[in-house]
């Protein structure tokens, strides 16, 4: 994978045709869980930045494998060029594969889960790939997130679902991700959803917000 930017067209996707929703929240807040449900009901493509990075980490011949592994274990943010390129490739593939279906004429809907995590990523993606229409921020306490991660860690096999990595991921969330959330709040694009309740309760609030966006 080359991270060389395509400078022929900026942004690559027109936000009037391609709807992008960023889904943010601390580690274990439930972003992936809610995105899976929304994608199914509202015909969104769900792209988890973390999942794309893990797949690239495990791809034979990837020059970024070691870098990604270290960042994930340490709870730090992978340089934006890598993550943005992975997202851009995944979006292009999805649009290409759906041109004969509901997404005709290059239209599309993307839930981008766990991205942008840092200000440089937010600015670069909005400017060069596609500007987000909405930013959902799932909020709850670290205690709730910790319990969810501990439970998930029993079976997830994720290298970062351990006490040491979780502590670092919480710190990164506060130091790097919160400024991104404040940025979108100032732009009037932020919707905060309390995710302390059950999966179904949180989904009710989330699906209402997505319904409003699409109406
Ligand atoms: N509202 C909820 N109530 C109870 N458990 C939940 C809720 N939402 C998600 N979970 C569980 O919590 C764990 C973490 O959820 P999920 O993987 O969706 O979080 P995430 O925000 O994507 O985390 P990460 O940032 O680490 O990828 C999972 O085991 C999931 O089943
Ligand atoms: O934009 C991103 C998103 C994620 N990362 C790294 O991946 C891990 C895991 O992400 P999850 O969303 O929890 O699956 C995250 O802690 C970062 O290390 C990233 O660098 N950039
Ligand atoms: Mg997740």
């Amino acid at each position: 994978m080359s991270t060389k930017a395509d400078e022929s067209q900026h942004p690559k996707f027109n936000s009037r045709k391609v709807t992008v929703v960023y889904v943010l929240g601390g580690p274990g807040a439930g972003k992936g869980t809610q995105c899976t449900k929304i994608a199914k009901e509202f015909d969104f493509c769900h792209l988890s930045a973390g999942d794309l990075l893990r797949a690239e980490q495990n791809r034979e011949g990837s020059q970024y494998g070691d870098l990604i592994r270290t960042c994930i274990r340490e709870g730090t943010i992978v340089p934006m060029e890598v993550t943005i390129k992975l997202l851009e490739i995944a979006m292009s593939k999805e649009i290409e594969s759906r041109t004969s279906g509901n997404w005709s004429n290059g239209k599309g809907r993307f839930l981008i889960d766990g991205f942008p995590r840092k200000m440089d990523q937010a600015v670069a993606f909005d400017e060069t790939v596609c500007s987000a229409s909405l930013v959902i921020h799932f909020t709850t306490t670290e205690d709730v997130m910790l319990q969810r991660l501990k439970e998930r860690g029993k079976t997830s096999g994720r290298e970062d679902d351990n006490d040491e990595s979780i502590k670092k991921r919480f710190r990164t969330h506060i130091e790097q991700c919160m400024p991104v959330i404040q940025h979108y709040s100032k732009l009037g694009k932020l919707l905060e959803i309390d995710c302390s309740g059950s999966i179904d309760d949180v989904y009710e609030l989330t699906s209402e917000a997505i319904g409003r966006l699409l109406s």
Side-chain angles (χ1 to χ4, degrees):
M1 183 191 68
S2 161
T3 54
K4 199 165 173 288
D6 172 7
E7 283 155 12
S8 57
Q9 201 188 10
H10 286 315
K12 180 165 179 146
F13 304 109
N14 184 332
S15 59
R16 270 173 289 179
K17 282 190 165 182
V18 174
T19 302
V20 165
V21 178
Y22 296 146
V23 181
L24 300 175
K31 301 178 292 295
T33 304
Q34 294 299 322
C35 285
T36 303
K37 292 167 77 69
I38 289 289
K40 212 187 251 181
E41 184 177 342
F42 294 93
D43 196 25
F44 272 78
C45 169
H46 170 200
L47 295 177
S48 154
D51 285 351
L52 289 172
L53 287 166
R54 280 181 282 272
E56 178 65 17
Q57 173 193 303
N58 295 323
R59 187 174 64 82
E60 211 180 305
S62 170
Q63 57 181 309
Y64 303 111
D66 289 343
L67 171 71
I68 295 171
R69 186 171 296 105
T70 303
C71 287
I72 289 184
R73 197 186 49 232
E74 294 301 316
T76 55
I77 306 300
V78 173
M80 67 165 185
E81 291 78 9
V82 177
T83 315
I84 289 178
K85 199 70 204 172
L86 289 170
L87 284 166
E88 195 183 321
I89 292 169
M91 288 173 75
S92 297
K93 274 193 192 154
E94 189 71 18
I95 287 175
E96 182 82 6
S97 75
R98 295 221 205 177
T99 44
S100 56
N102 293 343
W103 289 16
S104 56
N105 304 324
K107 287 190 178 171
R109 295 173 182 171
F110 292 93
L111 288 172
I112 306 201
D113 162 3
F115 176 94
R117 299 275 249 272
K118 203 173 162 186
M119 269 313 290
D120 62 347
Q121 294 177 326
V123 172
F125 192 91
D126 281 347
E127 281 181 5
T128 66
V129 183
C130 191
S131 174
S133 303
L134 177 70
V135 180
I136 295 178
H137 177 213
F138 288 114
T139 62
T140 187
T141 62
E142 281 195 5
D143 270 357
V144 167
M145 294 190 277
L146 183 63
Q147 287 318 309
R148 289 179 185 174
L149 288 174
K150 280 192 175 292
E151 195 55 36
R152 187 181 72 183
K154 290 177 188 168
T155 55
S156 70
R158 276 182 54 158
E159 289 174 44
D160 56 351
D161 277 350
N162 60 74
D163 289 348
E164 210 45 48
S165 295
I166 289 170
K167 228 185 280 171
K168 293 174 179 169
R169 289 159 70 199
F170 282 147
R171 193 180 321 135
T172 298
H173 178 67
I174 291 167
E175 291 174 358
Q176 311 275 10
C177 312
M178 285 313 291
V180 174
I181 287 157
Q182 283 151 12
H183 166 72
Y184 288 111
S185 174
K186 283 185 199 142
L187 294 181
K189 290 188 175 184
L190 186 74
L191 178 75
E192 299 216 288
I193 295 180
D194 183 345
C195 63
S196 312
S198 71
I199 291 174
D200 285 348
D201 286 347
V202 179
Y203 186 64
E204 203 176 316
L205 298 170
T206 311
S207 57
E208 273 171 20
I210 296 292
R212 278 196 303 275
L213 173 72
L214 299 179
S215 67

